[in-house]
Amino acid sequence: MVRVRIEYNRTDCIGAWACVSLGPNDFAMNYDESKADLIEGQNPKPGLQVKELEVDEERLQQIKFAAQSCPPQVIKITNIETGEVLVNWEKPHK
């Protein structure tokens, strides 16, 4: 098991559904806004959704694949225990 932090720059989401299709345990489509939401994510500031969770290797791979498949690359995945950035984003939330 590994503890990860998912950071999602919702502001720059284009509603492509890649994260929802590939990571349905962590992302859901918000049809009213045509953007994804991070399931059980917290909003430390407007436009940014964050959550921390412990996952097994299979779930970790699913989360990483969903983040890597995001066309605008607005999802960052970090191993909390080591600080290693597993998937970096192109458009960090400001």
Side-chain angles (χ1 to χ4, degrees):
M1 300 294 273
V2 62
R3 288 201 48 80
V4 295
R5 177 180 175 96
I6 303 172
E7 296 174 79
Y8 165 51
N9 174 356
R10 190 173 187 275
T11 300
D12 291 331
C13 173
I14 62 170
W17 289 59
C19 64
V20 175
S21 296
L22 299 169
N25 293 317
D26 298 291
F27 295 94
M29 199 64 194
N30 179 320
Y31 296 100
D32 293 335
E33 298 179 44
S34 296
K35 290 181 181 268
D37 282 320
L38 182 59
I39 297 171
E40 297 180 2
Q42 303 298 311
N43 297 91
K45 53 183 162 177
L48 179 66
Q49 295 181 349
V50 177
K51 91 172 172 180
E52 295 181 358
L53 66 159
E54 188 170 44
V55 296
D56 61 19
E57 187 61 32
E58 182 177 335
R59 176 90 176 269
L60 175 60
Q61 293 308 314
Q62 181 185 58
I63 294 168
K64 287 171 55 178
F65 190 52
Q68 291 165 338
S69 298
C70 173
Q73 299 180 352
V74 296
I75 304 168
K76 179 179 179 180
I77 312 297
T78 305
N79 180 321
I80 295 171
E81 297 158 357
T82 66
E84 177 186 7
V85 176
L86 305 173
V87 177
N88 210 351
W89 49 17
E90 291 294 314
K91 297 178 182 177
H93 189 271
K94 297 186 184 329

